[in-house]
Amino acid sequence: MDDRMEELLKRSQLSVTSSRKKILELFLGSAGALSHGDIEKKAGEKFDRVTVYRTLQAFLEKGVIHSIPTADNTVRYALCKEDCHQGHHQDNHIHFFCRVCASTTCLDKVSIPDIDLPAGFTASQVEVVVSGICDLCR
Amino acid sequence: MDDRMEELLKRSQLSVTSSRKKILELFLGSAGALSHGDIEKKAGEKFDRVTVYRTLQAFLEKGVIHSIPTADNTVRYALCKEDCHQGHHQDNHIHFFCRVCASTTCLDKVSIPDIDLPAGFTASQVEVVVSGICDLCR
DNA sequence: AGGTGACTGCAACATGGTTGCATTTTTATA
DNA sequence: TATAAAAATGCAACCATGTTGCAGTCACCT
């Protein structure tokens, strides 16, 4: 477990520190996506707010996590799959936000449908966020 | 023009005040969606920040505008169409965010495709935000 | 083991958003 | 039209969230 996290950090060209291991551990141990606030709470006051921000920033840049915009306007983060590379995310899946438990899940199985844009518009990214009730809350 | 705004406010059960007329005017005169910050800038320091917040809140509740989550994590607002009613929005269209001019547009013509959710999930709302380059910037 | 560069924590700051309350403006009613 | 009640505004203060600079610490490489 510890090895796995160290390996993931090294592969992403990030130096191995205790805060990064801890935050990575939180992501690995959580089903859905985490917000900055979630991480601060779960980490148990062990790290400075700034460290959490900078760690998330580093993870984002190196392609370890990706950010998810949600309806309640708080950014959440989730682990990327193996095919995410530095700076070039492959998060071609939709996100589900549960109104009951406020959790955000990546629905890897559901792909994003094609969308016909009007003439003159060019799409480089499509974000789909579905809100509703998740399988655990019904 | 002035009549049109007063009528819209009255129809939405909102009392007619100068700030509401001014903010409504900004929406009518702008092509895309506006963020809180946009409004404060365009209004020319005439209104208190709090008033802008409360006005947007009131407009939201009465179905005059709807909110749009964007990739850069700032909420934007756009006028609702006629078929939006109090508390029950009919904003069943996708939103386009231009990376160049940072404008957000409602693409009324493009409807949201159906999405097959995994078993156990129930969808109540689907948000689609396409990022790319708009027709004016290419 | 030791030097260099990267990471951390602290303080201070900036921004975005909310709440309570006194004052002003709208609206409804007479 | 005058007036009372209701609603909206502005102000101050506050909280949450996010950023920056810098000094100290830690990880990495040789």
Side-chain angles (χ1 to χ4, degrees):
Chain A
M1 180 64 176
D2 213 72
D3 288 350
R4 184 183 164 196
M5 292 184 304
E6 293 198 7
E7 201 250 317
L8 179 51
L9 286 173
K10 280 179 185 160
R11 182 150 36 92
S12 308
Q13 298 174 313
L14 289 163
S15 46
V16 180
T17 68
S18 61
S19 59
R20 289 183 177 170
K21 280 197 286 185
K22 180 67 183 174
I23 293 179
L24 200 49
E25 189 186 320
L26 291 178
F27 275 113
L28 288 169
S30 122
L34 297 175
S35 68
H36 171 92
D38 295 334
I39 293 169
E40 263 197 301
K41 288 189 198 74
K42 292 202 180 193
E45 326 226 345
K46 293 192 59 175
F47 305 110
D48 196 82
R49 284 180 337 115
V50 181
T51 300
V52 178
Y53 280 114
R54 287 198 268 231
T55 303
L56 290 175
Q57 196 63 35
F59 282 5
L60 262 187
E61 282 166 12
K62 300 298 185 179
V64 181
I65 58 177
H66 62 274
S67 70
I68 310 167
T70 47
D72 66 346
N73 200 42
T74 54
V75 194
R76 280 148 209 275
Y77 304 92
L79 282 181
C80 287
K81 293 289 172 293
E82 296 301 325
D83 50 356
C84 273
H85 306 302
Q86 202 173 327
H88 187 268
H89 288 279
Q90 202 63 38
D91 53 344
N92 189 28
H93 56 270
I94 76 173
H95 294 110
F96 188 90
F97 176 76
C98 176
R99 292 187 192 281
V100 179
C101 63
S103 70
T104 303
T105 335
C106 298
L107 300 180
D108 299 307
K109 302 286 160 41
V110 187
S111 60
I112 294 181
D114 285 339
I115 291 181
D116 291 327
L117 291 176
F121 287 83
T122 317
S124 62
Q125 197 201 7
V126 181
E127 275 284 354
V128 179
V129 181
V130 181
S131 307
I133 300 173
C134 75
D135 53 346
L136 297 175
C137 285
R138 52 169 322 225
Chain B
M1 179 64 175
D2 213 70
D3 289 349
R4 185 183 163 196
M5 293 184 303
E6 292 198 7
E7 201 250 317
L8 179 52
L9 285 173
K10 279 179 185 158
R11 181 149 38 90
S12 309
Q13 298 174 310
L14 289 163
S15 45
V16 179
T17 68
S18 60
S19 60
R20 289 182 177 173
K21 280 197 287 186
K22 180 67 184 173
I23 292 179
L24 201 49
E25 189 187 321
L26 291 178
F27 274 113
L28 289 169
S30 121
L34 297 175
S35 69
H36 171 93
D38 294 335
I39 293 169
E40 262 195 301
K41 287 188 198 77
K42 292 202 180 193
E45 327 226 346
K46 295 191 61 177
F47 305 110
D48 195 81
R49 281 177 342 113
V50 180
T51 301
V52 177
Y53 279 114
R54 287 197 268 231
T55 303
L56 290 175
Q57 197 61 37
F59 283 5
L60 262 187
E61 281 166 12
K62 300 297 184 180
V64 181
I65 58 178
H66 61 274
S67 69
I68 309 167
T70 48
D72 65 347
N73 200 40
T74 56
V75 195
R76 280 147 209 276
Y77 304 93
L79 283 180
C80 285
K81 294 289 170 290
E82 298 301 325
D83 51 356
C84 273
H85 308 299
Q86 202 173 326
H88 187 267
H89 288 280
Q90 201 64 37
D91 53 344
N92 189 28
H93 56 269
I94 75 172
H95 295 110
F96 188 90
F97 176 75
C98 176
R99 291 186 193 281
V100 178
C101 63
S103 70
T104 302
T105 336
C106 298
L107 300 180
D108 300 307
K109 300 286 160 38
V110 187
S111 60
I112 294 182
D114 285 337
I115 291 181
D116 290 328
L117 291 176
F121 287 83
T122 319
S124 61
Q125 196 200 8
V126 181
E127 277 284 353
V128 180
V129 180
V130 182
S131 307
I133 301 173
C134 75
D135 53 346
L136 298 174
C137 285
R138 50 171 317 223

